[in-house]
Amino acid sequence: MRYSGLSILRNALSGQKNWAPAWREPAPKPQYDVIIIGGGGHGLATAWYLARNHGITNVAVLERGYLGSGNSGRNTTIVRANYHIAGNEPFYAHSLKLWEGLEQDLNYNVMMSQRGVLNLCHSDGQFDFYARRGNAMRLHGEDAELLDREAVRAHAPFLNFRDERFPIRGGLLQPRGGTARHDAVVWGYARAADSRGVDLIQNCEVTGFRIENGRVRGVETTRGYIGAGKVGMAVAGRTSQVAQMAGLRLPIESQVLQAFVTEGLKPVLPGVITYGMGHFYISQSDKGGLVFGGDIDFYNSYAARGNLPMVEHVMEAGMAMMPMIGRARVLRSWGGIADMTMDGSPIIDRTPVDGLFLDGGWCYGGFKATPASGWAFAHLLATGESHETARAFRLDRFATGHVLDEEGTGAQPNRH
Ligand SMILES: Cc1cc2nc3c(=O)[nH]c(=O)nc-3n(C[C@H](O)[C@H](O)[C@H](O)COP(=O)(O)OP(=O)(O)OC[C@H]3O[C@@H](n4cnc5c(N)ncnc54)[C@H](O)[C@@H]3O)c2cc1C
């Protein structure tokens, strides 16, 4: 069923009781052309673009819990394309363009809200760096505005302009950045993929791979063996664990990233704001809650819950940036497991096992990558070739030394 004003009116007349479920609950078939492990945004987007762009629909997405139960349903929803280096920026620029047409593409309201992303800077050196980053973004066709201190004050007068230690020097604004509702993105891709015949199989954990003569033949799951021509992994914080089942050791560490939300407040934030002297980012949800986060917890873990020292660390950075946040009451906090690569950039590539492909290493920032990641991973699965926007996201870069070390995006091994 297509969603439209007319379908809402028609269903209103029958007490909203006749909506079809948004997707089916099929039993797994014995064999698929493509199996995607992981029913987060990346896995579902891959399934959708496999069907939409390549006509491949004999596809199953296998999810150990429910769709969106991983980081796709736990993130702080920030969407942006404000990268510096050439391997990254074209990919995120493509992603932002896909975001801008996503609701029409999926026929689903993902609550895309382009209220802008402002990165604050606090020294001349940082200001110069942001000028260079803004120029790089513009060279790749993105929007970027360098703001001086007074322009930042006009944009967000509640920030701490009296801080003697870390005075606000200016900021880099990407007006087309913003937020989107994370669950809606999952549901929109799921519904769209299902409508093309993709099987979305929940409560189905992959427990092993069947590999014969160096080629993947299928996966062992909690619901039995399922055969596949090709298998793609899109399991975020579990990437290293799942890859290990295929005998692969990846340059990835799993770490908890926490997020926080306050009680609902009247509209106060003009958009997303990030602090330049500590890791802190904040936006305001459509319900009014201030949604914020900061650093990863400084140890490896597969437990999706955080620890108190990091709570204190994040609150401290928030108070330094905008002291008024101290008046807001935090309602909830949660954690997700982030798959951190050692250069902060992702991997979309084939693996040494024939027919087994990898989409992972999204670190802090894979939500905004969801459309472009699905697009590029589907391209790789369908054609065997890397998509032009994702050619730099190779697995062997860690062996060859061609790393994509984007400052401030990664695991920063020196801080471990
Ligand atoms: C607190 C927090 C805040 C964040 N904020 C932002 C942000 O503001 N902006 C941004 O761009 N990014 C952000 N991120 C990062 C972003 O959420 C992730 O990079 C992105 O959601 C990854 O999507 P995914 O589909 O790859 O992973 P997930 O959504 O985690 O999906 C992977 C799925 O694989 C499933 N799975 C795992 N193992 C198996 C198995 N063996 N068998 C079957 N299924 C399996 C999991 O259950 C999970 O549902 C944040 C992350 C966190 C934790």
Side-chain angles (χ1 to χ4, degrees), residues 118 120-122 148-171 273 320-323:
L118 173 66
L120 297 177
C121 60
H122 308 263
D148 64 14
R149 182 179 161 90
E150 289 318 307
V152 171
R153 196 197 297 274
H155 185 81
F158 50 83
L159 294 174
N160 186 3
F161 288 91
R162 293 199 197 141
D163 192 329
E164 303 293 336
R165 274 191 314 164
F166 307 126
I168 292 173
R169 168 73 176 81
I273 303 179
M321 188 182 97
M322 43 184 283

Side-chain angles (χ1 to χ4, degrees), residues 222-264:
T222 45
R223 295 175 66 173
Y225 172 76
I226 310 174
K230 294 174 184 172
V231 178
M233 296 179 272
V235 291
R238 301 261 164 204
T239 304
S240 43
Q241 280 184 331
V242 174
Q244 203 170 28
M245 296 177 200
L248 305 174
R249 192 153 181 262
L250 298 176
I252 285 178
E253 291 184 5
S254 293
Q255 271 157 310
V256 180
L257 178 60
Q258 300 192 56
F260 308 85
V261 65
T262 70
E263 62 196 324

